[in-house]
Amino acid sequence: MTISKPVFDRLGLMLWIVAFLVTVILAQMSLDDRSVVFVYRNGAETFVAGRTLYNVQLEMGYLYAPAFAALYSPLLMLGHNLGDLVWRTLCFGLITYAVVRQVRKLGGSDLTWLLSFGLVLSLPMALGAIRNGQATILLAAACWLLTLSALEGRRAETFLWASLAVIAKPTAIVMVLLVAALRPRLIPVLVLSMLVVLIIPYAFAPIGYVNEQYRDFFHMLTSMAVDRSGPFSPCDFTSALAWAGVPIPEFDATIVRVITALMTLSAVLWFDRKLERGTAGLAIFVIACFYMCVFNPRVESNTYAMFAIPAGLAIALLWREQQGGALRVTLMILLVLGGMSGLSRASHEFFSPWLRPVVVSMIGCSLAWWFWAKAREKAHHAGPVAHG
């Protein structure tokens, strides 16, 4: 089975852009249909009005940091339709820029094909989050750019992307901690970015009101971490085990998460030392996204878009590096079919929430093995790569 590179040199990128334009048109025709942007808009309106942001009892609705509401509030002045359009364009533009920047780091003579093919592979699983306008796309872009900037030692960019990532979703702290472990000299920059994120809301609202929102926010985060009896239905590895008839107690699940966190840390440190710089950035981000999706107790089905986009690019790289073999075909099929599981309501109800964590686990472990084999092969021929 071969993929004609000239076909994907332009077609893949065109499909990526056309898919976004179609989702924007659909969103403008029915603003709050199959969209979560109204949650961000309502959160910003609530923040501007000085009302309580969080429903601590339900643990649903607005679940983001106060800084997110503060920074989304300028979009309210544009009106609902234009504000929605600007939000979606910002998220889509940043994730596309992150992919382009990563592709340039990989190098080679067929970068346009690599970009197009990777985006096409990720589209089925990523399209749902793009259609819904979810902050997951912004989170993926910011964390990816944070990874690349930190590995290059760019302090100002590291500060910017770390701040934006944590504002997008609190789970970005996982990526921040990984970056701190990879580049300890950037720890002061990362700490400063966290402090700035905490301070931002105070520039938009009274101190007493912001303090009250932070109290509710951290209380909500703590309660969600220990209480899984609420209305939220997670889509992490525990859901797959429960579907298979092997439910796992929350304490045991926490132990699994801690062990896999240590394994993830070991893997990214090893990839940083052994792989070429451009490939190392992709490998590190793929492994980090795998952990942030499969082992996140609050992950949703559309959150897997964060993994799908770098995984699609990694599979495209595998196609370029290997001229044959069943692995690249298998991973391509898994990623595409895993994303198409939500095409209809019936298929979504049948495959959710167990299919995507299973598929992503298979892809993530296979890609980790391939990156490991690639690093071992390079070390055997040329010795270890020092990144400084």
Side-chain angles (χ1 to χ4, degrees):
M1 180 177 181
T2 59
I3 296 295
S4 175
K5 291 185 178 182
V7 171
F8 285 97
D9 276 354
R10 297 287 182 264
L11 181 59
L13 188 57
M14 288 176 59
L15 287 174
W16 175 256
I17 297 173
V18 168
F20 169 70
L21 294 177
V22 170
T23 62
V24 167
I25 293 173
L26 292 175
Q28 292 297 304
M29 291 172 59
S30 182
L31 200 59
D32 294 333
D33 181 37
R34 296 182 60 188
S35 173
V36 297
V37 180
F38 74 92
V39 175
Y40 313 146
R41 188 169 62 245
N42 292 343
E45 291 173 345
T46 300
F47 181 83
V48 171
R51 301 192 301 268
T52 301
L53 279 170
Y54 306 100
N55 190 329
V56 181
Q57 285 72 33
L58 290 179
E59 297 175 0
M60 296 293 287
Y62 183 83
L63 303 176
Y64 305 85
F68 187 99
L71 292 187
Y72 191 89
S73 58
L75 297 182
L76 298 178
M77 296 183 292
L78 302 177
H80 289 182
N81 289 85
L82 184 56
D84 182 280
L85 176 61
V86 171
W87 165 256
R88 292 173 184 273
T89 303
L90 172 66
C91 295
F92 180 81
L94 279 178
I95 192 61
T96 304
Y97 168 65
V99 179
V100 170
R101 182 169 170 181
Q102 177 65 78
V103 166
R104 288 175 176 172
K105 294 297 178 183
L106 294 174
S109 59
D110 51 1
L111 299 186
T112 304
W113 174 85
L114 195 64
L115 173 67
S116 296
F117 191 32
L119 290 176
V120 166
L121 293 180
S122 68
L123 193 56
M125 194 175 290
L127 191 57
I130 295 173
R131 169 66 181 90
N132 292 352
Q134 291 188 330
T136 296
I137 301 300
L138 180 63
L139 173 67
C143 286
W144 204 339
L145 292 168
L146 167 63
T147 303
L148 297 176
S149 298
L151 293 180
E152 296 170 8
R154 299 176 181 270
R155 295 178 180 272
E157 291 184 9
T158 298
F159 172 84
L160 171 63
W161 301 127
S163 302
L164 187 59
V166 175
I167 290 173
K169 280 192 176 183
T171 52
I173 193 66
V174 173
M175 196 70 246
V176 172
L177 292 174
L178 281 179
V179 167
L182 287 167
R183 296 294 184 268
R185 64 179 179 274
L186 293 178
I187 290 178
V189 175
L190 297 172
V191 172
L192 180 61
S193 68
M194 299 303 99
L195 292 176
V196 169
V197 170
L198 291 174
I199 294 172
I200 283 175
Y202 292 100
F204 295 83
I207 295 177
Y209 168 74
V210 175
N211 289 341
E212 183 179 340
Q213 302 316 301
Y214 272 126
R215 185 178 64 249
D216 291 343
F217 174 64
F218 290 116
H219 173 70
M220 181 186 64
L221 290 182
T222 304
S223 62
M224 286 192 303
V226 299
D227 182 12
R228 303 288 294 277
S229 62
F232 178 78
S233 178
C235 193
D236 64 339
F237 77 99
T238 61
S239 65
L241 293 175
W243 176 84
V246 191
I248 180 172
E250 186 58 32
F251 179 77
D252 294 343
T254 301
I255 294 177
V256 172
R257 292 188 181 100
V258 171
I259 293 174
T260 52
L262 295 175
M263 294 174 62
T264 300
L265 176 61
S266 300
V268 299
L269 289 172
W270 195 84
F271 287 145
D272 181 49
R273 290 173 45 243
K274 300 295 184 179
L275 285 171
E276 294 180 350
R277 190 175 297 274
T279 308
L282 179 59
I284 289 169
F285 190 59
V286 167
I287 300 304
C289 289
F290 168 58
Y291 177 81
M292 293 172 68
C293 290
V294 176
F295 298 96
N296 176 8
R298 296 292 296 187
V299 71
E300 300 173 313
S301 180
N302 281 332
T303 308
Y304 283 92
M306 182 176 188
F307 173 84
I309 301 174
L313 185 58
I315 295 172
L317 179 64
L318 192 156
W319 273 85
R320 189 180 75 173
E321 299 294 325
Q322 293 187 357
Q323 299 304 314
L327 177 62
R328 60 180 192 169
V329 179
T330 302
L331 295 185
M332 178 186 71
I333 293 174
L334 284 173
L335 186 62
V336 172
L337 293 184
M340 296 176 67
S341 62
L343 282 179
S344 66
R345 182 177 297 274
S347 63
H348 175 74
E349 291 177 354
F350 178 77
F351 290 114
S352 181
W354 62 270
L355 180 64
R356 289 196 175 181
V358 172
V359 167
V360 167
S361 295
M362 296 172 63
I363 296 173
C365 292
S366 298
L367 288 176
W369 173 84
W370 181 68
F371 281 123
W372 176 83
K374 185 177 176 64
R376 293 275 297 186
E377 180 181 359
K378 180 175 180 58
H380 177 72
H381 292 293
V385 177
H387 285 183

